[in-house]
Amino acid sequence: MRIEDYAMVGDLHTAALVGANGSVDWLCLPRFDSDAAFAALLGDEENGSWRLAPTAADAVARRSYRGDSLVLDTEWSCGEGRVRVTDLMPPREQQPRLVRIVEGLDGDVAVRGTLRMRLGYGRVVPWVTREPGGLHAVAGPDALWLTTAAPLLGADHSTVSDFRVRAGERVAFVLAWTPSTDPAPAVPDPLEDLQRTEEFWSAWSGRQPADLPYRAAVVRSLVTLKGLTYQPTGGIVAAATTSLPEDPGGVRNWDYRFCWLRDAALTLGALLRCGYVDEAAAWRDWLVRAVAGDPADVRVLYGVAGERRLPEIELGWLAGYEGARPVRIGNGAADQVQLDVYGEVLDALHLAREAGLPDDARAWDVQRALLDHLEEHWQDPDQGIWEVRGEPRHFVHSKVMAWVAFDRAVQAVTEHGLPGDADRFRAVRDAIHADVLEHGFDERLDSFVQSYGSSDVDAALLLLPQLGFLPADDPRIVGTVDRVQRELVVDGLVRRYRVGSTGGSSDGVGGEEGAFLVGSFWLADALAMVGRREQAQALFERLLGLANDVGLLAEEYDPVHHRQLGNTPQAFSHVGLVNTALNLAGHSPQLGSRRRHRG
């Protein structure tokens, strides 16, 4: 299936992807970054899948989320009648469980379930035994427990369930995970699970302002961001998947089931602007815990609980999504030097202060240590926001984010009364600003460039006016926006930068990639800021139309073949949607001084 054929259900610890054909093709247990129990997404059905659908050849599905929740309804219609399959993962109390309820709506419909349990990312076939009311599967540290009243038949390392449902009848399946050393879990009534899950999401969604613009799309994005949250720590993973390709059939396949620091500022801003102060506070606390320690050892990304070691490994037994290999788990970018993350951290915590979250002495101590380190190293080259795997460069975005770090430090001291040397912070800030203007702007090209000495541009330059580096009407900003439109826009959408055969410089990876969706939202923001609101509005409407039938966006979009690319659902894409919707509607201006020139 296409990437956009998948919907997500989750329990705030992990998430499952359910295809439009009724098959669960991806689920990691018990956490987002755990081994997959269903990995058909990156191989085939024999790598783990669970399809539940009518057997009729003429069955047609239509699906939607139930209200503002992560409860997914797939309604099937065929000559025999209609059935609804409801998929959900109850917000975690103890063990994770996936609940699937088949309900007859009309007629008498034959339904088949085919369950292929595979642990260890599709490589391990567990030992399955029958238990009263279901099955017990075990391999190594993991155990799966299936509970159902439906008939079960073992065949070819799979479990088949054939049954019929008439109008008003329900047949439920519950698949739970436990450590293999634990006894069988208690299984609540599936209908009680459904009710409790609906009540949870109704209460959470009900905290949003009533006047949200583009409410359906914005609320779906906020629910998706909540669904990508690891509740025990407040960390938000970049996506629920690994190795969905940015280049069809290519090698740009990365593991996004971790928490990137640079997502912090935009994620915090989106949550705070929509009234979710508790989530923002939890994210801030995760951030402070994650970066605590030696400021020279700040990582670009962390595990959901703050883990620092995320070694990148290739899984050779998986064929890859549509043949895109290698399939990777872990992410080598965690060991890169990316100086912009210092600015992202300082900006995120600045936004929290501006929103009225109580100051935390420990958080400020961490920030001052980061500033001390950055003062010594802001002139170093790095791998930048795009995590290039080639030689380090002096990326303009990285320098600007270093400027952001010291700019927000000045405000922390002068406007919020935190202890520190504002004159020193101001001097470093101004030195960085002058350096970027001297080396990062090309007068001949009338634009800022991707890195010092380069003639290329990249999408991150669109953030300069939002960050307050220069006013939006500065000719240098306008010239940069114009050049991004000329050189990076394909079919109306923005690529991150030019790679491969497009004539851009090498990033050490190879291949091509699609349009970067959050970069396209950044362009809409920049167009609005430079006074081109009609263009901005048209681009935003185009981006809304790229979401799938249940409102989800992946990382990228293929403007040639008109399909989503990359890991899904992508937090950054949904953060971009929320912020741009609010910006275009003039709703609750972005917090802090991200729009005020501080040069």
Side-chain angles (χ1 to χ4, degrees):
M1 289 181 290
R2 301 171 305 168
I3 290 170
E4 54 263 46
D5 289 332
Y6 288 98
M8 180 184 80
V9 298
D11 63 0
L12 311 185
H13 287 65
T14 189
L17 292 192
V18 185
N21 66 348
S23 181
V24 177
D25 287 347
W26 183 255
L27 175 59
C28 298
L29 293 167
R31 304 194 330 181
F32 289 105
D33 55 354
S34 298
D35 286 14
F38 298 118
L41 180 68
L42 300 178
D44 59 31
E45 60 187 15
E46 291 301 325
N47 295 120
S49 61
W50 185 9
R51 187 159 190 253
L52 191 57
T55 59
D58 63 343
V60 177
R62 182 182 63 187
R63 60 188 183 165
S64 62
Y65 283 112
R66 187 170 295 189
D68 298 328
S69 77
L70 282 182
V71 176
L72 180 69
D73 285 328
T74 303
E75 185 175 311
W76 294 88
S77 300
C78 61
E80 296 178 331
R82 294 184 301 122
V83 298
R84 177 190 298 127
V85 179
T86 300
D87 290 304
L88 63 134
M89 295 188 73
R92 187 80 62 89
E93 289 180 342
Q94 294 179 343
Q95 79 284 342
R97 57 186 180 272
L98 174 61
V99 178
R100 313 195 75 183
I101 302 171
V102 183
E103 180 181 3
L105 302 177
D106 184 55
D108 183 357
V109 181
V111 177
R112 169 170 291 180
T114 304
L115 172 63
R116 296 177 175 87
M117 295 179 282
R118 303 290 187 268
L119 299 168
Y121 294 103
R123 191 175 196 180
V124 179
V125 180
W127 186 265
V128 180
T129 57
R130 286 191 176 271
E131 297 284 334
L135 300 175
H136 175 214
V138 63
D142 302 299
L144 297 173
W145 305 80
L146 176 68
T147 303
T148 184
L152 301 174
L153 176 66
D156 298 326
H157 300 298
S158 64
T159 300
V160 177
S161 184
D162 284 311
F163 56 97
R164 303 189 72 89
V165 287
R166 290 188 288 269
E169 294 180 340
R170 292 187 180 95
V171 178
F173 298 79
V174 179
L175 184 69
W177 175 94
T178 66
S180 59
T181 53
D182 285 8
V187 180
D189 185 308
L191 297 182
E192 292 180 3
D193 266 347
L194 173 59
Q195 179 181 351
R196 185 171 66 86
T197 304
E198 286 190 87
E199 290 172 350
F200 169 86
W201 285 108
S202 177
W204 189 86
S205 300
R207 293 159 51 194
Q208 298 154 3
D211 61 343
L212 278 179
Y214 302 97
R215 190 178 190 283
V218 169
V219 172
R220 178 50 48 196
S221 291
L222 291 170
V223 169
T224 301
L225 290 172
K226 181 65 173 177
L228 293 172
T229 300
Y230 184 65
Q231 189 173 44
T233 64
I236 300 176
V237 297
T241 58
T242 179
S243 298
L244 290 180
E246 300 166 12
D247 179 16
V251 298
R252 292 177 175 268
N253 317 314
W254 315 109
D255 193 346
Y256 277 12
R257 299 170 299 153
F258 308 115
C259 304
W260 267 257
L261 291 187
R262 69 170 49 88
D263 294 13
L266 287 174
T267 302
L268 270 172
L271 292 171
L272 290 167
R273 294 173 75 186
C274 296
Y276 288 101
V277 178
D278 291 344
E279 282 76 10
W283 177 242
R284 180 195 64 179
D285 293 343
W286 176 88
L287 196 64
V288 172
R289 290 193 304 270
V291 303
D294 185 353
D297 193 35
V298 169
R299 303 308 229 191
V300 177
L301 61 142
Y302 294 83
V304 293
E307 297 89 347
R308 292 168 175 252
R309 291 186 296 276
L310 306 172
E312 189 170 292
I313 302 170
E314 297 181 2
L315 305 185
W317 61 87
L318 288 173
Y321 177 83
E322 294 186 354
R325 303 181 70 182
V327 171
R328 296 179 173 97
I329 60 171
N331 199 306
D335 297 322
Q336 289 186 351
V337 175
Q338 298 178 23
L339 293 174
D340 66 294
V341 299
Y342 293 89
E344 304 290 2
V345 169
L346 270 292
D347 196 37
L349 298 177
H350 168 74
L351 291 177
R353 281 192 296 273
E354 294 280 297
L357 294 183
D359 286 321
D360 184 306
R362 182 170 62 101
W364 181 239
D365 287 342
V366 169
Q367 292 170 76
R368 292 177 69 179
L370 297 178
L371 288 164
D372 289 342
H373 178 77
L374 187 58
E375 184 176 1
E376 295 182 5
H377 293 280
W378 69 265
Q379 298 182 71
D380 296 346
D382 71 335
Q383 267 78 28
I385 183 174
W386 308 127
E387 302 179 347
V388 300
R389 300 202 172 194
E391 289 297 316
R393 309 177 211 165
H394 293 278
F395 287 99
V396 168
H397 176 262
S398 294
K399 305 298 185 191
V400 170
M401 291 313 302
W403 173 89
V404 166
F406 287 97
D407 176 74
R408 302 329 185 231
V410 170
Q411 295 177 65
V413 175
T414 60
E415 299 178 14
H416 293 274
L418 294 173
D421 188 343
D423 289 337
R424 171 188 154 209
F425 296 152
R426 189 178 291 109
V428 179
R429 180 194 70 182
D430 294 346
I432 298 172
H433 196 273
D435 190 73
V436 172
L437 293 183
E438 180 180 356
H439 301 290
F441 182 80
D442 190 316
E443 294 185 1
R444 180 179 59 86
L445 298 171
D446 191 30
S447 77
F448 285 93
V449 292
Q450 182 180 33
S451 59
Y452 290 3
S454 166
S455 61
D456 294 328
V457 287
D458 70 349
L461 298 173
L462 295 168
L463 293 172
L464 267 61
Q466 289 192 54
L467 295 168
F469 186 78
L470 285 175
D473 60 358
D474 188 292
R476 291 166 291 190
I477 294 294
V478 176
T480 301
V481 173
D482 287 342
R483 188 157 178 243
V484 168
Q485 285 189 285
R486 288 195 307 270
E487 299 190 10
L488 297 184
V489 171
V490 178
D491 193 25
L493 305 175
V494 180
R495 296 187 185 272
R496 296 186 301 168
Y497 50 90
R498 295 187 302 160
V499 298
S501 62
T502 59
S505 58
S506 171
D507 59 6
V509 181
E512 299 284 350
E513 63 178 19
F516 193 53
L517 290 177
V518 76
S520 300
F521 286 113
W522 293 344
L523 177 58
D525 292 331
L527 288 169
M529 292 184 75
V530 301
R532 302 172 187 172
R533 292 193 58 83
E534 289 187 4
Q535 289 185 44
Q537 189 73 41
L539 175 55
F540 181 66
E541 298 286 348
R542 167 82 189 284
L543 290 165
L544 289 182
L546 300 183
N548 72 358
D549 58 320
V550 290
L552 300 185
L553 291 168
E555 181 187 16
E556 297 185 359
Y557 188 80
D558 185 343
V560 176
H561 300 99
H562 305 291
R563 56 180 297 187
Q564 293 188 15
L565 294 173
N567 287 303
T568 193
Q570 179 81 7
F572 225 4
S573 298
H574 286 281
V575 168
L577 187 155
V578 172
N579 281 329
T580 303
L582 298 178
N583 292 342
L584 290 177
H587 184 282
S588 178
Q590 281 192 297
L591 297 165
S593 59
R594 294 171 69 87
R595 288 182 180 270
R596 283 187 277 156
H597 169 45
R598 291 270 174 178

